[in-house]
Amino acid sequence: MTDFSAPKAAVQFRTAAFLQSASAVENAPSDQGWEVAFAGRSNSGKSSAINTLTSQGKLARTSRTPGRTQLINFFALSDSQRLVDLPGYGFAKVPLAVKKKWNQQLERYLQRRESLRGLVMLMDIRHPLTDADKQMLGWAISASMPVHILLTKADKLKRGPAQSTLLSVREALAEHAELVSVQLFSSLKRKGVEELGTKINLWLTDDSVIDDLPEINADD
Ligand SMILES: Nc1nc2c(ncn2[C@@H]2O[C@H](COP(=O)(O)OP(=O)(O)OP(=O)(O)O)[C@@H](O)[C@H]2O)c(=O)[nH]1
Ligand SMILES: [Mg+2]
């Protein structure tokens, strides 16, 4: 995508490459640059969404078995931009002690990770805003972390019901509209990919980056 009329450090999603896995937040790559994390319940479609966004079918591992992604997986978009696939929460078969530990880590990651610019939260459109989702949202909001919600697997509902779920989730979160946005998404149908890409672009590029760019279009 070359757009010389509007010089921006547009994110190159297709060039995403696996960077590293971490078993705990402490083992994450150094906290520099910018990153966007994907969070959601097990099986909500996080890994699939990352693959769809990057047009790389096998970048993040997907599975029919919930709880598949146990590690935090970091993908590099550039030297200073990353996507993060977080382990799913709310998986019934995980022991309580493990769940508690992971919840603590998620909360800490949201509060302390300097490079984290925004959180993409995924919810299966057929059961959005579960208790676990609300808890996660609460942490993000109290950390003033921008959140973009994907109502995933939108292909599972007809257009009317999908649209009304979108409106009702927006309405439920209306008081946080400055921090929280919501859209429909389907990896299967590649629906909502552009909207998601635009949001992430906004988070992963900022004025200082744009100012640092060489003036490739100084004439106009
Ligand atoms: N119909 C439909 N199925 C989807 C979509 N996105 C993901 N799935 C399916 O949902 C299942 C889980 O997808 P994943 O992307 O592995 O989910 P995840 O959130 O990464 O799961 P964990 O890593 O276990 O937390 C897989 O069987 C996917 O094929 C979608 O847009 N539409
Ligand atoms: Mg996964």
Side-chain angles (χ1 to χ4, degrees), residues 18 47 51-52 54-62 75:
F18 178 75
S47 301
N51 290 342
T52 303
T54 57
S55 306
Q56 294 187 42
K58 290 180 184 164
L59 187 64
R61 286 182 71 181
T62 62
F75 303 96

Side-chain angles (χ1 to χ4, degrees), residues 93-153:
K93 286 188 185 160
V94 173
L96 194 63
V98 175
K99 270 188 203 168
K100 278 191 174 158
K101 186 165 171 259
W102 177 236
N103 278 346
Q104 276 171 2
Q105 293 219 12
L106 270 179
E107 190 177 6
R108 239 193 6 239
Y109 173 70
L110 287 179
Q111 286 169 346
R112 304 211 188 137
R113 186 81 171 161
E114 295 278 336
S115 50
L116 186 62
R117 302 298 300 263
L119 188 69
V120 177
M121 257 192 83
L122 295 87
M123 303 174 192
D124 187 316
I125 192 163
R126 295 165 297 176
H127 32 84
L129 291 175
T130 62
D131 288 346
D133 292 330
K134 287 178 187 162
Q135 185 178 42
M136 183 81 190
L137 259 173
W139 292 333
I141 289 165
S142 67
S144 299
M145 180 61 62
V147 178
H148 186 60
I149 296 175
L150 303 184
L151 298 175
T152 61
K153 310 189 188 182

Side-chain angles (χ1 to χ4, degrees), residues 24-218:
V25 173
E26 299 90 78
N27 308 325
S30 78
D31 196 1
Q32 282 163 0
W34 298 272
E35 69 193 26
V36 168
F38 285 61
R41 298 182 72 205
S42 291
N43 212 42
S44 58
K46 298 175 293 296
S47 301
S48 301
I50 289 176
N51 290 342
T52 303
L53 184 68
T54 57
S55 306
Q56 294 187 42
K58 290 180 184 164
L59 187 64
R61 286 182 71 181
T62 62
S63 173
R64 280 177 208 280
T65 318
R68 183 72 179 173
T69 312
Q70 303 284 3
L71 298 165
I72 313 173
N73 290 313
F74 293 84
F75 303 96
L77 294 164
S78 74
D79 287 351
S80 60
Q81 297 163 312
R82 296 177 295 277
L83 297 179
V84 185
D85 189 3
L86 294 171
Y89 49 76
F91 180 46
K93 286 188 185 160
V94 173
L96 194 63
V98 175
K99 270 188 203 168
K100 278 191 174 158
K101 186 165 171 259
W102 177 236
N103 278 346
Q104 276 171 2
Q105 293 219 12
L106 270 179
E107 190 177 6
R108 239 193 6 239
Y109 173 70
L110 287 179
Q111 286 169 346
R112 304 211 188 137
R113 186 81 171 161
E114 295 278 336
S115 50
L116 186 62
R117 302 298 300 263
L119 188 69
V120 177
M121 257 192 83
L122 295 87
M123 303 174 192
D124 187 316
I125 192 163
R126 295 165 297 176
H127 32 84
L129 291 175
T130 62
D131 288 346
D133 292 330
K134 287 178 187 162
Q135 185 178 42
M136 183 81 190
L137 259 173
W139 292 333
I141 289 165
S142 67
S144 299
M145 180 61 62
V147 178
H148 186 60
I149 296 175
L150 303 184
L151 298 175
T152 61
K153 310 189 188 182
D155 55 275
K156 295 275 193 187
L157 293 186
K158 292 206 169 79
R159 200 183 133 82
Q163 206 62 30
S164 70
T165 305
L166 174 66
L167 294 181
S168 68
V169 171
R170 275 193 186 140
E171 201 171 290
L173 298 170
E175 60 176 308
H176 304 294
E178 278 182 19
L179 222 47
V180 182
S181 47
V182 192
Q183 71 157 97
L184 298 178
F185 192 84
S186 167
S187 286
L188 194 73
K189 302 277 183 201
R190 290 192 61 84
K191 182 186 166 68
V193 182
E194 243 189 67
E195 192 176 348
L196 173 62
T198 301
K199 186 56 136 185
I200 294 179
N201 244 307
L202 212 75
W203 282 342
L204 288 183
T205 57
D206 72 4
D207 295 346
S208 63
V209 172
I210 292 167
D211 286 344
D212 285 348
L213 280 181
E215 291 207 19
I216 50 178
N217 198 23

